[in-house]
């Protein structure tokens, strides 16, 4: 009787392990890859603004913010912007007729980011929060409509 219980437990454990492995393989194979805007929004979500206390923290924040936005633009529109300076990016956006309602806030953010990143200008946390929300809003409003 002890042997029957041991065999039953072993069988049950084997079935559970095989089931977990099958579910894992199925999940890995058939999950939907993230879209470029989902990747960007996730990266922006991971920016830790609450940890920004020094000038250097804000400098790093703005480097990451502009990097994420450039990667998004490159994936979304196919524009080669990742290696462009912030000023070159603004010029490109103007040439590409980027919507005026988005261009002006982007220009403002990039101009401010330039001073923060390279001239050690002080930044208020409320301004950084506003800039982050603006970039999130622009990505939300420019993402492609998914086709089912």
């Amino acid at each position: 009787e002890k042997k029957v219980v041991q065999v039953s437990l072993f069988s049950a454990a084997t079935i559970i392990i095989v089931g977990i492995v099958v579910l894992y393989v199925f999940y890995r194979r058939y999950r939907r890859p993230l879209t470029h805007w989902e990747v960007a929004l996730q990266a922006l979500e991971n920016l830790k603004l609450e940890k920004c206390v020094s000038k250097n923290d804000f400098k790093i924040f703005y480097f990451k913010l502009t990097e994420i936005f450039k990667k998004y633009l490159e994936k979304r529109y196919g524009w080669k912007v990742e290696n462009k300076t912030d000023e070159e990016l603004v010029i490109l956006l103007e040439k590409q007729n980027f919507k005026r309602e988005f261009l002006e806030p982007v220009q403002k953010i990039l101009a401010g980011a330039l001073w923060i990143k390279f001239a050690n200008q002080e930044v208020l946390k409320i301004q950084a929060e506003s800039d982050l929300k603006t970039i999130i809003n622009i990505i939300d409003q420019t993402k492609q409509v998914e086709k089912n």
Side-chain angles (χ1 to χ4, degrees):
E1 191 173 308
K2 234 182 189 183
K3 205 170 195 172
V4 172
V5 171
Q6 286 176 337
V7 169
S8 297
L9 287 174
F10 179 75
S11 298
T14 303
I15 290 170
I16 290 171
I17 290 171
V18 167
I20 290 171
V21 169
V22 167
L23 286 173
Y24 176 76
V25 168
F26 182 79
Y27 171 77
R28 297 268 303 170
R29 179 172 291 169
Y30 295 105
R31 72 174 179 202
R32 178 182 63 85
L34 295 177
T35 62
H36 41 270
W37 60 86
E38 289 170 330
V39 170
L41 292 173
Q42 198 172 62
L44 291 170
E45 219 175 89
N46 291 334
L47 277 179
K48 301 293 183 210
L49 189 56
E50 65 273 359
K51 292 185 179 179
C52 291
V53 290
S54 70
K55 282 183 185 180
N56 195 52
D57 293 338
F58 282 104
K59 183 187 287 195
I60 292 168
F61 170 83
Y62 274 95
F63 269 110
K64 288 181 179 177
L65 180 67
T66 55
E67 176 187 14
I68 292 165
F69 186 60
K70 286 177 183 180
K71 284 181 180 177
Y72 168 74
L73 291 173
E74 193 158 314
K75 297 280 187 195
R76 168 67 174 91
Y77 296 101
W79 302 332
K80 301 292 181 212
V81 298
E82 211 169 341
N83 294 323
K84 293 200 178 299
T85 65
D86 293 347
E87 292 104 346
E88 291 170 334
L89 175 60
V90 169
I91 292 167
L92 177 78
L93 292 175
E94 289 171 341
K95 284 182 182 174
Q96 296 293 340
N97 294 317
F98 198 62
K99 284 187 178 180
R100 178 93 17 225
E101 66 184 282
F102 303 137
L103 182 60
E104 290 173 11
V106 167
Q107 284 175 309
K108 184 176 166 256
I109 290 169
L110 293 177
L114 197 63
W115 285 98
I116 294 161
K117 294 188 297 189
F118 299 109
N120 284 331
Q121 181 178 332
E122 291 282 343
V123 63
L124 297 174
K125 192 172 269 193
I126 195 164
Q127 183 61 48
E129 288 172 355
S130 173
D131 292 344
L132 177 62
K133 287 178 184 173
T134 299
I135 294 295
I136 289 171
N137 184 44
I138 290 170
I139 291 172
D140 271 335
Q141 292 186 39
T142 59
K143 63 186 179 186
Q144 293 172 312
V145 178
E146 291 186 55
K147 298 170 188 148
N148 291 334

